[in-house]
Amino acid sequence: MKKLSYTDVYAECATAHIAAPSTKTLEPLEDIVGQERAQEAVRFAMAMPGSGYNIYAIGRTGLGKRTMILRYLKNKLTPKNHVSDWCYVVNFDEPRSPKILKLPVGFGAQLKKDMEAMISRLAKAIPQAFDNDSYYERAEKLKTEYAEIQEQALEKFAAQTKKKGVQLSVTTPGGYRLTALNGDEPHTVDTFAALSQEEQDKFDVVINKLEVKLRSTIRQLAAWEQEFVDKQQALNEEVVVGVSKHHVDDLLEKYGEQDDVVSYLKRLQQDLIDNFDVFLEEGEEQAALADATLDKKLPRRYQINVLVNHSNNRPPVVVEENPNYHNLFGYVESVTYKGSVFTDFSLIRSGSVHRANGGYLLIDAAKVLEQPFVWDGLKRALRSRSLQVNSLEREVTLSGTISLDPEAMPLDLKVILLGDRETYLLLQHYDPEFTELFKVAADFENEMPRTPSSESHYAQFISSLVHEKSFLHCDRKAIARVIEHSSRQAEDQSKLSLHASDIANLLRESNYWAQEQSSNMIRCAHVERALESNLMRNSRIKDQMFHTLSNGSTLLSVEGAVIGQINALSVLSTGGAEFGMPNRVTANCYFGDGDIIDIEHNARLGGNIHTKGVMILSSYLSTLFAKYKPMPLSASIAFEQSYGEVDGDSASLAELCALVSSLGERPIKQNFAVTGSVNQFGEVQPVGGVNEKIEGFFDACEILGLTGEQAVILPSTNQINLMLSKKVRDAIKAKRFHIYTVERVDEALELLLGEHPGVKDKDGNYPVRSMYGSILQKFDALRTAENEQEGA
């Protein structure tokens, strides 16, 4: 048993541990403080070649996982050769399967610019080349030559037919007719019918022979026409090559070391010849599609779709805040023109995985698992080390429209999942592929040891936050106060919290109050003001509940002594804050078979841990009073005026003391409040939230009347967790409030009852006048009376 002094309930930060008078001259910390284990895991995963060495960063939100990893990647990574630009271009052989080009960094945008410049020039030069006198002359000459040859051949054949009394006439374009002549005029049906049968047969024989020759002539005409077409095509090719060759050759020379680009440009040169007419047609459709897709009005098949473009060789680091399917894996856009849905390679859009290729992708594990098809898609990409752009509609087979099948991008990527331990364990348990793909766990610490050296490092961490967020600088006392608050957050005098977001928020609010008061620096008073403001904003529910103490709605005694009644301490959470609240716990005893009834459990208001605590204290009571004989009394315990679920075992010490008080009919001093759990051997075990519990009881005593006798009893192992508020420390210093620590139940009972409950002698018996002795005597008397009643 120990009564704590003012210095025992708070661990101050010695300003001597802070190397500089303010953060202005304090060197910022490059790394995140206290996360050496996680940093080593990240370093190992980054350096480890091969697939599967992706990272799962374990830790609750606000520990600085993302910040630490991003800072590490910024400071430690060096340029690498495997970072590339990626472009999609048309596949001239199979337009539904666009080809992907891998280019050195910076070449993607340059190639797109060069191609646009070339196509823009060709869009002007090719129509001009076909719209000039020289081309018209040559084309007309070819056409005239063909027409003359055709005309001569037909005239020669017509002359032959005329000699034989048959006329050749053209019926339709490309259609010819042979008709028997009646002098110089062709026979009509009537005049031909008037001829003799012999004359008619003669004409039929002549016409049949001429038809054979006509077919031969027509074949010759077709051959000449094809020859004309070939010559016209050769002329067009000559014109296109003359206009485009030097442009394409310039690009071939510029990108000569890029095999993929060279192959593409050579195939493009042939396609320009085959499809030069796209430059000659002022297509309304082309203009409409260009407007719809926000592109330049150039032939779409010759565009370069730059999927990924980098400015330097540093591995890209991408943080995806919204990892849905399209944002991660890209998608294919479409436009609607005259009721038809249209798409092509130029409408392929990149996702985060494309942009992070060759580098690192950071995503939140919970968000990935929330999105449909994303987790499977991510695993598929990491397994195959390639990325195929598929629309989500195609993935779920909702769309039957024609879509693209782009060439897959080779993938060289490390994924960093940020999540909590529960998600990590669930993935390990339910997904056998998870451990193969995420072989490295970066486990982030919640606290770090508090030593003079670590306080100095923590001060540098505070300095880094101040510099990074452009706050006013903190003086030495303000830094010390933030360190003390960090220890309070860790609930341990020997540790510091590593919850970086909480510290950043405290500094941000302190900076606000410093600016409100026109201060040139954040001082200790501003940090205190920020803490008070935060407490005030989140204490509406607390104030309402403590108001019920002042108006008498909630019954609580902080003076006097009552049998079977004790003040227990609990912690309530309102979402934004936690606060302590005293509760009255009562116990009643009555004749029975030794059962202890947990009213909270029977009313289905007690949680599993609370029920376990009651069972343990029942076991301890049985060890004390019914080790060899049955206990003839039963008891019940309850949290009075509690209408919600009660859980946790931190009230088991208080419940045990109330039961013993009721069994021994000894009054408990109501100026005490008790917290702590017990084991089956009567040892008092540590509990959580001791700072809030003590402060809650102190607030209740202030409302009901602070007499200077009120005190809190807590486990001795909880002393290191004490980081009490200033007003409680001041009350302890003025001896208006007290803290006692105990190691065993007997010590707590001695404080509460004003007497030691009893010590066993060498024969295992308690003194007759001790409380334990009187309880055993009462049990013996009850057993005797029960036996006599049964005998009668």
Side-chain angles (χ1 to χ4, degrees), residues 430-498:
Y430 289 106
D431 192 341
E433 294 177 313
F434 173 70
T435 52
E436 289 299 315
L437 295 174
F438 291 86
K439 296 178 180 178
V440 178
D443 203 346
F444 281 72
E445 305 282 356
N446 292 316
E447 296 103 16
M448 65 180 289
R450 182 180 176 185
T451 63
S453 174
S454 65
E455 286 183 348
S456 176
H457 279 85
Y458 209 86
Q460 289 182 274
F461 164 63
I462 294 170
S463 177
S464 66
L465 288 175
V466 169
H467 282 84
E468 179 184 333
K469 315 245 180 231
S470 300
F471 297 150
L472 292 173
H473 286 286
C474 301
D475 68 8
R476 184 177 272 141
K477 289 186 177 179
I479 296 172
R481 183 65 186 92
V482 173
I483 291 174
E484 291 168 1
H485 174 72
S486 174
S487 200
R488 160 87 179 213
Q489 291 294 96
E491 295 189 63
D492 198 319
Q493 295 178 3
S494 64
K495 291 185 179 179
L496 294 170
S497 171
L498 294 177

Side-chain angles (χ1 to χ4, degrees), residues 26-67:
L26 191 62
E27 184 180 355
L29 195 67
E30 289 296 329
D31 297 322
I32 297 298
V33 65
Q35 299 293 359
E36 290 77 12
R37 188 196 311 270
Q39 285 188 17
E40 173 57 25
V42 172
R43 186 205 64 76
F44 169 76
M46 299 305 176
M48 193 68 183
S51 63
Y53 285 92
N54 300 294
I55 302 171
Y56 188 104
I58 306 172
R60 61 193 182 104
T61 304
L63 280 177
K65 302 186 295 295
R66 179 186 300 185
T67 303

Side-chain angles (χ1 to χ4, degrees), residues 379-664:
K379 291 192 298 179
R380 185 165 58 246
L382 293 176
R383 276 197 315 269
S384 63
R385 306 194 72 175
S386 65
L387 182 59
Q388 181 79 45
V389 178
N390 285 326
S391 64
L392 187 57
E393 294 81 2
R394 183 177 177 184
E395 188 80 14
V396 297
T397 64
L398 292 178
S399 174
T401 59
I402 296 175
S403 60
L404 301 180
D405 185 22
E407 183 181 0
M409 171 191 284
L411 202 59
D412 180 12
L413 170 73
K414 286 193 183 292
V415 175
I416 303 169
L417 288 179
L418 309 171
D420 55 30
R421 189 173 302 279
E422 289 75 17
T423 304
Y424 177 74
L425 295 175
L426 285 171
L427 286 170
Q428 269 195 326
H429 183 72
Y430 289 106
D431 192 341
E433 294 177 313
F434 173 70
T435 52
E436 289 299 315
L437 295 174
F438 291 86
K439 296 178 180 178
V440 178
D443 203 346
F444 281 72
E445 305 282 356
N446 292 316
E447 296 103 16
M448 65 180 289
R450 182 180 176 185
T451 63
S453 174
S454 65
E455 286 183 348
S456 176
H457 279 85
Y458 209 86
Q460 289 182 274
F461 164 63
I462 294 170
S463 177
S464 66
L465 288 175
V466 169
H467 282 84
E468 179 184 333
K469 315 245 180 231
S470 300
F471 297 150
L472 292 173
H473 286 286
C474 301
D475 68 8
R476 184 177 272 141
K477 289 186 177 179
I479 296 172
R481 183 65 186 92
V482 173
I483 291 174
E484 291 168 1
H485 174 72
S486 174
S487 200
R488 160 87 179 213
Q489 291 294 96
E491 295 189 63
D492 198 319
Q493 295 178 3
S494 64
K495 291 185 179 179
L496 294 170
S497 171
L498 294 177
H499 205 272
S501 64
D502 282 351
I503 303 303
N505 289 336
L506 176 58
L507 290 171
R508 186 176 291 108
E509 294 180 23
S510 302
N511 181 72
Y512 168 79
W513 290 112
Q515 291 177 335
E516 280 285 296
Q517 297 175 12
S518 301
S519 175
N520 63 349
M521 186 172 285
I522 298 174
R523 306 189 186 279
C524 184
H526 302 133
V527 180
E528 293 286 2
R529 182 71 179 88
L531 292 170
E532 291 168 4
S533 175
N534 183 273
L535 181 63
M536 184 273 293
R537 294 195 304 270
N538 293 289
S539 60
R540 186 183 69 83
I541 303 299
K542 174 189 174 183
D543 292 344
Q544 284 186 342
M545 296 190 70
F546 274 85
H547 180 67
T548 62
L549 291 175
S550 59
N551 65 19
S553 326
T554 297
L555 302 179
L556 188 75
S557 301
V558 294
E559 296 181 79
V562 181
I563 294 174
Q565 177 177 298
I566 194 169
N567 296 322
L569 299 174
S570 60
V571 175
L572 302 179
S573 175
T574 60
E578 293 182 342
F579 62 92
M581 184 74 185
N583 297 94
R584 175 179 286 178
V585 173
T586 58
N588 276 326
C589 293
Y590 43 86
F591 184 80
D593 55 4
D595 289 338
I596 296 179
I597 298 175
D598 178 8
I599 293 177
E600 308 300 325
H601 174 72
N602 290 356
R604 296 184 180 178
L605 292 176
N608 294 334
I609 299 176
H610 177 262
T611 301
K612 178 183 177 182
V614 173
M615 294 172 71
I616 290 173
L617 69 87
S618 301
S619 172
Y620 177 64
L621 277 179
S622 298
T623 303
L624 282 177
F625 306 121
K627 193 166 186 178
Y628 303 110
K629 298 177 183 179
M631 188 162 37
L633 286 180
S634 293
S636 61
I637 53 176
F639 274 74
E640 302 294 348
Q641 293 185 283
S642 171
Y643 308 106
E645 183 174 336
V646 175
D647 202 4
D649 61 354
S650 64
S652 58
L653 175 60
E655 291 169 329
L656 178 56
C657 292
L659 280 169
V660 172
S661 167
S662 180
L663 289 170

Side-chain angles (χ1 to χ4, degrees), residues 183-375:
D184 292 332
E185 296 295 327
H187 273 291
T188 63
V189 174
D190 294 334
T191 59
F192 189 78
L195 296 175
S196 64
Q197 186 64 42
E198 183 181 352
E199 290 176 320
Q200 290 181 7
D201 292 341
K202 184 180 178 181
F203 272 119
D204 287 341
V205 171
V206 170
I207 289 174
N208 287 335
K209 290 180 178 179
L210 289 175
E211 283 180 348
V212 172
K213 291 183 178 180
L214 177 61
R215 285 195 290 270
S216 175
T217 301
I218 291 174
R219 283 195 295 272
Q220 184 63 46
L221 291 176
W224 288 333
E225 184 175 5
Q226 183 60 47
E227 185 180 342
F228 165 74
V229 170
D230 292 342
K231 289 181 178 180
Q232 183 68 49
Q233 179 66 29
L235 173 61
N236 294 340
E237 182 175 334
E238 180 184 338
V239 172
V240 174
V241 170
V243 173
S244 64
K245 188 175 187 306
H246 66 282
H247 293 295
V248 177
D249 287 345
D250 289 345
L251 292 185
L252 283 170
E253 182 179 355
K254 183 173 182 178
Y255 296 95
E257 296 181 1
Q258 309 305 319
D259 294 340
D260 288 348
V261 179
V262 169
S263 175
Y264 166 72
L265 289 173
K266 287 181 178 179
R267 188 64 185 84
L268 175 141
Q269 193 166 30
Q270 182 59 44
D271 194 76
L272 284 173
I273 297 170
D274 297 338
N275 298 283
F276 69 91
D277 52 326
V278 299
F279 293 93
L280 305 178
E281 299 172 357
E282 278 293 330
E284 176 188 348
E285 178 179 350
Q286 180 79 10
L289 291 174
D291 290 338
T293 56
L294 305 178
D295 284 332
K296 296 181 179 179
K297 296 178 181 179
L298 298 174
R300 300 182 64 84
R301 68 189 289 110
Y302 303 124
Q303 292 185 12
I304 303 292
N305 181 4
V306 181
L307 201 68
V308 179
N309 182 50
H310 298 293
S311 59
N312 55 56
N313 281 331
R314 288 182 64 84
V317 179
V318 178
V319 180
E320 180 52 66
E321 299 289 355
N322 181 23
N324 60 40
Y325 194 89
H326 285 166
N327 286 354
L328 274 180
F329 307 118
Y331 56 99
V332 182
E333 289 181 339
S334 59
V335 294
T336 303
Y337 176 70
K338 291 185 178 181
S340 298
V341 178
F342 173 86
T343 189
D344 66 8
F345 76 95
S346 68
L347 297 177
I348 300 173
R349 300 295 178 249
S350 66
S352 301
V353 178
H354 294 96
R355 294 189 294 275
N357 194 16
Y360 306 92
L361 175 64
L362 281 73
I363 42 181
D364 186 275
K367 291 179 181 177
V368 167
L369 296 173
E370 286 170 0
Q371 298 288 344
F373 304 102
V374 169
W375 179 240

Side-chain angles (χ1 to χ4, degrees), residues 81 83-86 102-108 258 261 309-310 313:
N81 294 327
V83 179
S84 306
D85 287 355
W86 298 90
K102 180 181 180 181
L103 299 169
V105 169
F107 275 53
Q258 309 305 319
V261 179
N309 182 50
H310 298 293
N313 281 331

